[in-house]
Amino acid sequence: TKSVFGYQMRFDLSNGFPLVTTKKTFLKGIISELLWFIEGSTDERRLAEIHYGDKRENIIGKNTVWTANADAQGNALGYTNTETIKELGPVYGAQWRSWMGASGKAYDQLADVINQIKTNPDSRRIILNAWNVAEIDNMALPPCHTFFQFYVANGKLSCQLYQRSADVFLGVPFNIASYALLTMMIAQVCDLEVGEFIHTFGDAHIYNNHFEQLELQLSRKPKSLPKMILNPAIKNIFEFTYEDFTLENYEPHDAIKGSVAV
């Protein structure tokens, strides 16, 4: 790889949804994975259910962005790995919804964050942390997007993410859209407008075999940002479904039109 350490990007979410327009973007995967995190599941087959909108017995042989982790690292860790259950260990969903304290108490960080935004929006402690040191060795993939904080000012909600490891070509466009969408969802259920998504990196890197693709991507002129419409009837973060998201005015580069899964 080639890498830099320490970099930051800012996106004003009132200007549009920051979905990359110069390369193919797997929006369906972004939405389904985010819903899976919010649900608190760590079963890769549950992610497949959300993604394919199908029953468990009909998802055998279908893949998700986490399939390789379940089949390799999850299996190596000794977790159940069958055609219908693929445990990943205490990855994002577990840390977001059921962080296990030393006393054995489980903490729902996501519910707490939303409660703080509603009841104490000036707090400097509106933080969700996925880097649970005591459980890292039990995870099929230690969290890359490790820590994020919310900030409320002038009736707008902003979010800053710290990402320890960032694959610039493949992962970062996925991460930008995911956390922008999460910020929009939380803003809606807290009756706030959207502010900024601030993306802070530790190790931001480009793999050697991505250089050619990135040069091609950089040769393309970005188009105007699309608009993401959320179902306004949803007022509880845990009630969103895939059907509650509609992307409008998406005009990607001509080379990738029709290739985006939405």
Side-chain angles (χ1 to χ4, degrees), residues 218-234:
L218 288 169
S219 73
R220 298 169 175 168
K221 184 178 179 180
K223 301 295 185 73
S224 299
L225 293 179
K227 185 175 183 180
M228 178 64 78
I229 306 298
L230 277 58
N231 180 353
I234 305 299

Side-chain angles (χ1 to χ4, degrees), residues 181-202:
L181 185 57
L182 176 64
T183 304
M184 294 174 65
M185 294 162 71
I186 294 179
Q188 175 166 303
V189 303
C190 293
D191 294 320
L192 295 167
E193 298 298 319
V194 291
E196 287 186 295
F197 168 56
I198 302 152
H199 201 167
T200 301
F201 301 104

Side-chain angles (χ1 to χ4, degrees), residues 105-167:
K105 177 182 176 180
Y107 293 85
D108 189 336
Q109 293 190 87
L110 182 57
D112 180 64
V113 157
I114 292 170
N115 182 61
Q116 286 191 72
I117 292 169
K118 289 180 176 180
T119 62
N120 189 19
D122 295 329
S123 173
R124 302 182 184 96
R125 303 176 183 179
I126 310 176
I127 291 168
L128 197 157
N129 182 15
W131 192 261
N132 189 338
V133 175
E135 295 196 301
I136 293 294
D137 290 342
N138 297 323
M139 300 180 189
L141 178 68
C144 294
H145 30 107
T146 55
F147 175 104
F148 52 102
Q149 180 176 2
F150 292 97
Y151 175 83
V152 181
N154 302 317
K156 294 183 178 181
L157 180 71
S158 295
C159 173
Q160 179 169 202
L161 167 68
Y162 180 81
Q163 186 166 349
R164 67 167 179 88
S165 176
D167 175 349

Side-chain angles (χ1 to χ4, degrees), residues 169 208-218 220:
F169 179 62
N208 293 349
N209 60 354
H210 292 167
F211 291 166
E212 183 178 349
Q213 294 95 317
L214 272 166
E215 288 176 358
L216 174 61
Q217 184 183 353
L218 288 169
R220 298 169 175 168

Side-chain angles (χ1 to χ4, degrees), residues 69-127:
N69 297 97
D71 289 343
Q73 292 96 319
N75 192 50
L77 287 167
Y79 293 122
T80 302
N81 195 340
T82 69
E83 291 181 320
T84 55
I85 299 174
K86 294 187 179 184
E87 177 59 43
L88 292 156
V91 292
Y92 297 100
Q95 304 310 325
W96 286 24
R97 301 299 314 284
S98 56
W99 174 295
M100 294 303 299
S103 66
K105 177 182 176 180
Y107 293 85
D108 189 336
Q109 293 190 87
L110 182 57
D112 180 64
V113 157
I114 292 170
N115 182 61
Q116 286 191 72
I117 292 169
K118 289 180 176 180
T119 62
N120 189 19
D122 295 329
S123 173
R124 302 182 184 96
R125 303 176 183 179
I126 310 176
I127 291 168

